Amino acid sequence: MSEPTEERRRLRVIVADDQAAVREPLAAVLGLAEDIDVVAAAADGTEVLAAVAAGPVDVVLMDLRMPVMDGIETTRRLSEQYPQVAVVVLTTFADDDSILGALGAGARGYLTKNAGRKDITRAIRAAAAGQSVLDREVQDRLLATVRNTTTGTGTTTAAAAKGTNGPVPGSALPEDLTRREREVLALIGQGLPNRGIAEKLFISEATVKTHINNLFAKAAIPDRAAAVRRAIEAGLV
């Protein structure tokens, strides 16, 4: 196994799941990654908060359905008390309430338990770097929810979606967005991850990240979920 590169520091991760049969093997597998240290395993939200308080921690891999304190409430408290700690949800649930609840509470990534080890480690690294990674199934559900919201066919999920990301500016995009930034926004709206956008536009992932940072700043877009909504509202999808 090669040594970690200077550019990739070791990430301190907590694995939270109420089932020991899931929690312990997952912690062991993640611990094999050259840049990840599993510093704690937690069975509920109170254990997560205690482990974070003992810190330092970079990322919490969070199950949603846990006793005592569930994953959404734990994520909300982490966002308020420890905003530097990123949360990646790993759950069997991909319903609208779970997705919007977790993202609204501040989760930076959302994966289902169909995700493989490479997907999970990639999401952990992305979250630690301030980026969002959503499972393809989750992207599709979020995209469908946003479409229902913007066409007025989902009043309940519309209110939830609004609460998830706060008020979204009008559908008009800033005039200073470049053609490439609009293309990137359109592809985000289609649910493509950074790698997929890079392949589609024949550019590097680093260039994609630069375009995303620029367009988020120009259009006052707080996160990827809001970007999907904005792309649809602007007629790019």
Side-chain angles (χ1 to χ4, degrees), residues 178-199:
T178 66
R179 178 181 59 83
R180 182 64 89 190
E181 288 163 359
R182 288 173 180 269
E183 290 174 342
V184 169
L185 180 58
L187 293 173
I188 291 174
Q190 293 174 27
L192 269 66
N194 287 4
R195 180 178 300 177
I197 294 172
E199 292 173 353

Side-chain angles (χ1 to χ4, degrees), residues 116-188:
R117 179 177 62 86
K118 289 184 178 180
D119 294 325
I120 296 171
T121 54
R122 180 170 62 91
I124 288 172
R125 291 166 185 149
Q131 302 162 18
S132 297
V133 174
L134 304 178
D135 185 277
R136 185 67 199 211
E137 180 183 355
V138 173
Q139 290 178 343
D140 290 344
R141 289 296 296 258
L142 183 60
L143 188 59
T145 299
V146 173
R147 281 175 171 154
N148 288 341
T149 299
T150 56
T151 56
T153 59
T155 54
T156 301
T157 54
K162 184 176 180 181
T164 297
N165 300 296
V168 175
S171 60
L173 294 172
E175 293 182 1
D176 60 344
L177 280 190
T178 66
R179 178 181 59 83
R180 182 64 89 190
E181 288 163 359
R182 288 173 180 269
E183 290 174 342
V184 169
L185 180 58
L187 293 173
I188 291 174

Side-chain angles (χ1 to χ4, degrees), residues 197-235:
I197 294 172
E199 292 173 353
K200 190 83 170 178
L201 298 179
F202 302 102
I203 56 179
S204 70
E205 284 191 64
T207 301
V208 171
K209 291 176 186 176
T210 298
H211 287 314
I212 289 175
N213 289 339
N214 290 340
L215 77 87
F216 277 24
K218 291 178 182 178
I221 297 174
D223 52 42
R224 211 173 185 95
V228 173
R229 289 207 330 230
R230 196 68 179 277
I232 294 173
E233 291 171 348

